[in-house]
Amino acid sequence: NYKSSKKAATKSSKQEETLYRSIISDIRVFPVEGGNGILANVSVTFGGVFVVTGLKIIMGKKGAFVSMPQYNYKGEWKDSCFPITGEFREELSEAVLEAYEDEIE
């Protein structure tokens, strides 16, 4: 039945969203003045036991976005850590951008 499967999918995605948000225990935003497109540096604590630093909020052509920490390997920039699923990437980006908005208010 389409309705019940759609309802189940919505419930499942809300459960994932809650799980994803519960994994993120702290977000610290450090606004940057005159950063040539870099709006802020960010650190995120996961589960109260693991911190990732080096995230950046960057103003792009389509608006602000979150960039993962990167390293230079043979002249090419690569993410050093990143969300595995698109869903978690979206939730993490949303949470970081919300924290940025709260910080600059």
Side-chain angles (χ1 to χ4, degrees), residues 54-75:
L55 286 86
K56 293 182 178 9
I57 299 174
I58 299 175
M59 182 54 74
K61 292 179 182 178
K62 298 180 182 178
F65 68 93
V66 177
S67 173
M68 294 296 119
Q70 297 182 326
Y71 65 98
N72 190 324
Y73 179 74
K74 296 183 180 181

Side-chain angles (χ1 to χ4, degrees), residues 76-88:
E76 187 177 337
W77 288 98
K78 299 184 176 280
D79 288 351
S80 59
C81 59
F82 48 87
I84 293 174
T85 67
E87 293 84 5
F88 186 62

Side-chain angles (χ1 to χ4, degrees), residues 32-44:
V32 173
E33 295 289 326
N36 291 332
I38 298 173
L39 302 175
N41 293 304
V42 180
S43 67
V44 180

Side-chain angles (χ1 to χ4, degrees), residues 40-51:
N41 293 304
V42 180
S43 67
V44 180
T45 304
F46 296 93
V49 296
F50 189 80
V51 176

